[in-house]
Amino acid sequence: MTSKPTPITLANDPLAPYLIAPGWRVGDLLFLSGQASIGRDGSIVGVGDFDAQLAQTFANIETVLAAGGSDLSKVVKVTIYLTDMANFPAILEARKRWFTPPYPADTTVEVKGLALPELMVEIDVIASV
C-alpha cells in the first residue's frame, strides 16, 4: 500500500511568497525544502553573521520537522549549501550541537549564490516520523 504525499503546512509560512511548500510527508518520511535564515516575518536574520544565520536555519528546520511530526533526532540525510566553504568548520560544530551519533548522511557543497543575496547557508533534510 502506498501513502499519498501530504504537504507540511505552517501558519505564517515565510516561504509562501516564494511558492514553496515547507516540506512533504510521504509515508514515514519527511522531505523538507531548503531552509535558510528567514524569520517568521519573512526578513533575513543575521545578515553578514554566519553563526546567526546557521542558528536561524536550524530553528526553521526544527519548526518544519515539528509540523510534520518529527524532530532533529530523526534526520537521516542533510544537504548543506554554503556560499563560502571557509564556513565549513562552523558546520562541523553545528553537527555536534544539533545532531548526535550516529550522524545523518551529509552532502555539503559550495554554491555561487542562494535565492536571496544576503543568505550564506541553506539546508534541506530528509527525516523519519
Side-chain angles (χ1 to χ4, degrees):
M1 183 161 125
T2 60
S3 274
K4 179 180 177 185
T6 307
I8 298 170
T9 59
L10 300 174
N12 302 319
D13 179 3
L15 297 180
Y18 305 104
L19 307 176
I20 300 170
W24 283 83
R25 180 175 178 163
V26 181
D28 288 336
L29 292 176
L30 302 181
F31 298 85
L32 271 58
S33 289
Q35 299 297 310
S37 187
I38 299 175
R40 302 299 291 160
D41 64 356
S43 67
I44 296 175
V45 176
V47 173
D49 182 341
F50 184 80
D51 291 333
Q53 287 200 15
L54 193 57
Q56 181 64 47
T57 299
F58 271 97
N60 292 347
I61 291 168
E62 288 180 307
T63 297
V64 179
L65 287 172
S70 189
D71 59 52
L72 286 172
S73 72
K74 297 176 183 170
V75 171
V76 296
K77 175 70 169 96
V78 178
T79 306
I80 302 169
Y81 306 91
L82 299 174
T83 58
D84 185 348
M85 198 56 83
N87 289 314
F88 186 71
I91 295 300
L92 294 175
E93 290 303 313
R95 286 185 186 139
K96 290 184 226 175
R97 178 175 175 192
W98 281 292
F99 299 115
T100 57
Y103 294 106
D106 183 287
T107 302
T108 303
V109 295
E110 183 177 45
V111 295
K112 183 177 179 179
L114 295 167
L116 301 172
E118 299 90 350
L119 294 175
M120 304 166 79
V121 60
E122 183 171 333
I123 301 173
D124 65 68
V125 303
I126 300 172
S128 65
V129 292

